[in-house]
Amino acid sequence: MMAPEASELGLDLRILAESPEVCAAAVVPTAPVGDYRDLDALRRFALGVDVVTFDHEHVPSEHLHALLSEGVNVQPGPAALIHAQDKIEMRRAVERLGLPNPEWAAVRSPEELTEFGERAGWPVVLKTPRGGYDGKGVMIVERKDAAGEAVAEWFEAARAAGVDDGALLAEEKVAFSRELSALVARRPSGEARAWDVVESIQVDSVCDEIIAPAPGLSPETADAAREAALTIARELGVTGVMAAELFEVPGRGPGFVVNELAMRPHNSGHWTMDGSVTSQFEQHLRAVLDLPLGSTERTAEATVMKNYLGGSNPDLFSAYPAAMAAHPGAKVHTYGKGVRPGRKVGHVNVTGPADDVERLRAEAAGAAGIIRDGAPRGAAGDHPWNRSEQ
């Protein structure tokens, strides 16, 4: 999704592809295949580029430090990125900056986990510090399960990984009213901009829907959330786009606590492709190249983004006529990924009046559902293009 923005800016975008079949390789002419965990592959890829940036946080930190020492322009740098790679480092930083954290502890044994649970209250949330996303690497632990086999296996795996002395992250189970996301961008010379705070609706721990701006969010909480995200970006030296994922907790502190950080274009920012003057993808390119940042003003009062995951329709394009005919206001974005159940393969954006958000949600869900599940026979999707000769 960054490729069209790069083309419009006249930028030569290159990607390090995991395989020739990755979807980005179909739209980016220069896409050498290599393993991001291989330092030599990273070195070869970095030759001749102005800046190296990321679409995920999993490149080993030690490799990024090596590239920096060799003069490669890495944005964001590893000193910032570690706070998106390691949840314990993130918690320490949020605490150091005086921003709202849930109660937390780095625990290294079932006994320490039990001590934390007695202090914070049961159940508690146990997380692997690295590698988890979309609900992976997260376990809800009741007191009776703290000394159980599943928890013991997690501690054994943490010790084997050797990160942070084998610690896992324990957190209180926050009683939140909903999830929010504060998206910002910052360039190396210091300029930073924030988009409106959005509501993030999760289904089975995967982002399902975004409503921008978050309906009914108090101006005070919205301002505090934006300022918290900007403070994190500034104080940690973040460059490019960063999403601060938040839990809304009315009546507690500024009305939220920080959940996680992502230092890259983020699912919660896909609405900006059709609902903002500057999309998160264009802004990320501007930011890492230290170009002046674009306006983050909304182009519509409200935007709803609806993800669609792989479902019963393996041929997404076959459902386009029905989806487009039924929902002409929907903007369809398909990623070119292979379709498999549960995999994010695209999203739909719908814009409109702020007082008509439920209709926008229905429009986005309707279009996404047709694409995911396929058009019924006799619908607009039953187009001659979609029928083989009998």
Side-chain angles (χ1 to χ4, degrees), residues 292-365:
L293 299 181
S295 169
T296 53
E297 292 295 314
R298 282 179 277 121
T299 56
E301 290 184 356
T303 302
V304 171
M305 183 220 74
K306 177 76 171 181
N307 278 328
Y308 52 91
L309 280 57
S312 57
N313 176 27
D315 180 8
L316 302 180
F317 182 74
S318 68
Y320 278 14
M324 292 174 175
H327 304 284
K331 301 292 287 185
V332 177
H333 301 276
T334 297
Y335 307 154
K337 296 179 178 179
V339 178
R340 64 172 183 260
R343 187 185 198 188
K344 292 177 187 174
V345 291
H347 70 273
V348 171
N349 287 335
V350 178
T351 60
D355 62 1
D356 206 9
V357 164
E358 289 309 309
R359 180 185 65 81
L360 305 183
R361 295 181 69 185
E363 289 276 334

Side-chain angles (χ1 to χ4, degrees), residues 178-182 197-200 214 217 221 244-246 248:
R178 58 178 170 172
E179 296 190 47
L180 305 171
S181 179
V197 178
V198 304
E199 179 176 353
S200 175
L217 185 65
T221 298
E245 298 178 71
L246 314 170
E248 183 183 35

Side-chain angles (χ1 to χ4, degrees), residues 176-183 195-202 207 209-226 229 242-250 252 254-262 266-269 271:
F176 58 92
S177 57
R178 58 178 170 172
E179 296 190 47
L180 305 171
S181 179
L183 193 74
W195 285 270
D196 285 298
V197 178
V198 304
E199 179 176 353
S200 175
I201 299 170
Q202 312 288 310
C207 180
E209 187 179 9
I210 296 293
I211 306 174
L217 185 65
S218 75
E220 295 78 15
T221 298
D223 288 344
R226 280 192 296 268
M242 184 197 80
E245 298 178 71
L246 314 170
F247 291 140
E248 183 183 35
V249 281
R252 175 171 169 174
F256 65 87
V257 297
V258 177
N259 179 24
E260 293 185 352
L261 302 177
H266 188 254
N267 201 169
S268 68
W271 70 273

Side-chain angles (χ1 to χ4, degrees), residues 83 89 91-99 101 235-236:
H83 299 94
E89 288 298 322
R91 285 279 168 245
R92 289 170 176 154
V94 172
E95 185 171 285
R96 185 172 67 250
L97 295 174
L99 298 173
N101 256 337
E235 296 301 321
L236 300 186

